[in-house]
Amino acid sequence: MSTERVMVYGAAGHTGRFVIDELLSRGLTPVLAGRNEERLSALASRYDGLERRVVGVEDADRLREALAGITVVVNVAGPFLDTALPLARAAVEAGAHYLDVTAEQPAVQQLYDELDAPARSAGVSVVPAMAFYGGLADLLTTAALDGEPGADEVKVAIGLDRWWPTEGTRVTGDRNTAVRQVIRGGVLAPLESPAPTGTWSFPGPLGVQEVVQLPFSEVVTIHRHLQVGELTSHLNTAPLADLRDSSTPPPSAADDSGRSEQRFVVEVVVGRDGRSRSLACAGRDIYAFTAPIVVEGVVRLIDGRHQGAGALAPGQAFEAGDVLAALERSTDGFRLLESEPVVEPTCA
């Protein structure tokens, strides 16, 4: 097992356990951390021998002490509006890299605004939204542009066959009340109200779906490093009924890995100089799939395959095509799909 220690903050949560398992599968040494001693102690039977550190984000001094000997911090403890900035700041001060899995636009923007210069001075990287929401669309868009610095237009579409939300998803949804942003005229701008709706022809297995503009953190990460004139981001409406129904259960394991049966398709269409290209992917379980995404980031930060220091977007910190290819090789059921768009999505 590697001597490099990776703190997983929020280790006792649903996504945290997938991240721990992924780190162990790569021969890395997780340190289990979080705010709740009882929940962390309950992990002892599953992860015997792994170090546990109990600390809240409200005590900056204790947080810095808890980061002693840590190379990379992975924050999976939402709401990230509450945890991201204090934990990332402590990581930078301790000389550790920081990654999180936030879908929250304001949390990402906070890190970019406040920690870029300190991270550069410390020689570490701060990479928020290295996850299914945010990072995946950022990586796909960057790869689709194939070295070009930007696009006239980018359209992102996320399709889920269902949504079994975790407790953390519900809490974060209640906490994150900020107006969502898109890119309009090359700058971040508020999403129209009511949000535009339409249809999107997804690659299989979803096909044509009703969609609504519902941007996540990918808008802020893409704006961070790519010159995009217009960016819209869509989610199919069917799983939103699951999310809004308080009786919808959390995800349940359908195999030994703990993954649910949920299926997803994510597609980006980039337009530049009158030409367009689409790049899409399909896979299973948005929470479980976040683990290999963020751990690909961890591995690259440890072995030096990243693009310098500072507060960075996923596709800015790491070579996007390489990350996506690695995910396709290592993640069961995940595949990349590429084609020239035939049926243009419509939104009104």
Side-chain angles (χ1 to χ4, degrees):
M1 188 175 286
S2 170
T3 57
E4 304 283 0
R5 291 190 289 179
V6 181
M7 175 181 280
V8 181
Y9 193 83
H14 182 79
T15 303
R17 299 186 193 192
F18 287 114
V19 173
I20 296 165
D21 290 343
E22 186 73 21
L23 289 168
L24 290 170
S25 76
R26 303 293 189 94
L28 297 169
T29 305
V31 174
L32 315 186
R35 297 163 282 194
N36 189 305
E37 183 173 6
E38 183 178 355
R39 293 187 67 187
L40 280 178
S41 296
L43 296 178
S45 60
R46 181 181 174 96
Y47 301 111
D48 184 41
L50 292 185
E51 182 182 356
R52 301 189 301 275
R53 301 183 184 183
V54 181
V55 62
V57 297
E58 66 284 345
D59 189 330
D61 292 335
R62 285 194 61 203
L63 198 54
R64 280 192 297 272
E65 292 171 5
L67 287 167
I70 298 299
T71 302
V72 183
V73 176
V74 177
N75 180 11
V76 291
F80 295 91
L81 282 166
D82 299 326
T83 66
L85 185 58
L87 188 54
R89 179 179 283 126
V92 170
E93 292 173 354
H97 300 292
Y98 171 91
L99 297 158
D100 70 34
V101 300
T102 183
E104 302 160 56
Q105 293 181 343
V108 174
Q109 194 64 59
Q110 273 189 328
L111 298 188
Y112 289 162
D113 289 345
E114 301 198 28
L115 291 183
D116 184 51
R120 290 178 186 275
S121 296
V124 298
S125 296
V126 172
V127 188
M130 189 70 180
F132 175 82
Y133 286 118
L136 183 54
D138 185 286
L139 293 167
L140 287 168
T141 300
T142 307
L145 286 170
D146 194 24
E148 296 291 345
D152 301 322
E153 183 178 32
V154 174
K155 296 179 181 179
V156 176
I158 299 170
L160 313 177
D161 66 350
R162 67 199 76 186
W163 196 342
W164 295 299
T166 64
E167 177 187 357
T169 294
R170 292 195 181 281
V171 172
T172 297
D174 291 339
R175 173 75 174 83
N176 183 25
T177 58
V179 175
R180 295 176 187 260
Q181 297 187 90
V182 295
I183 298 175
R184 190 181 305 123
V187 300
L188 293 172
L191 176 67
E192 298 173 50
S193 182
T197 60
T199 60
W200 191 283
S201 182
F202 286 93
L206 291 182
V208 177
Q209 296 276 318
E210 298 292 324
V211 297
V212 62
Q213 283 196 36
L214 188 63
F216 293 96
S217 49
E218 71 282 342
V219 173
V220 181
T221 66
I222 288 170
H223 185 257
R224 178 68 174 176
H225 70 116
L226 296 172
Q227 301 165 17
V228 175
E230 307 288 325
L231 186 151
T232 54
S233 190
H234 313 81
L235 179 70
N236 63 324
T237 57
L240 288 175
D242 296 329
L243 181 64
R244 292 164 178 162
D245 184 350
S246 60
S247 68
T248 301
S252 59
D255 60 26
D256 292 341
S257 73
R259 293 188 303 171
S260 74
E261 290 285 8
Q262 181 195 51
R263 305 285 171 166
F264 66 78
V265 177
V266 179
E267 182 173 25
V268 301
V269 179
V270 298
R272 182 181 174 88
D273 298 329
R275 303 177 64 184
S276 64
R277 178 187 178 193
S278 69
L279 185 59
C281 63
R284 179 174 158 199
D285 192 332
I286 62 175
Y287 299 109
F289 186 60
T290 282
I293 297 175
V294 74
V295 173
E296 285 295 337
V298 171
V299 170
R300 283 162 172 74
L301 290 171
I302 289 174
D303 67 18
R305 284 182 293 154
H306 62 285
Q307 303 301 313
L312 308 169
Q316 180 183 24
F318 312 114
E319 204 287 305
D322 181 61
V323 174
L324 292 168
L327 290 168
E328 189 171 34
R329 287 192 303 268
S330 65
T331 308
D332 182 42
F334 176 72
R335 66 189 193 280
L336 293 170
L337 313 165
E338 182 174 5
S339 64
E340 291 298 322
V342 177
V343 179
E344 281 291 328
T346 62
C347 282

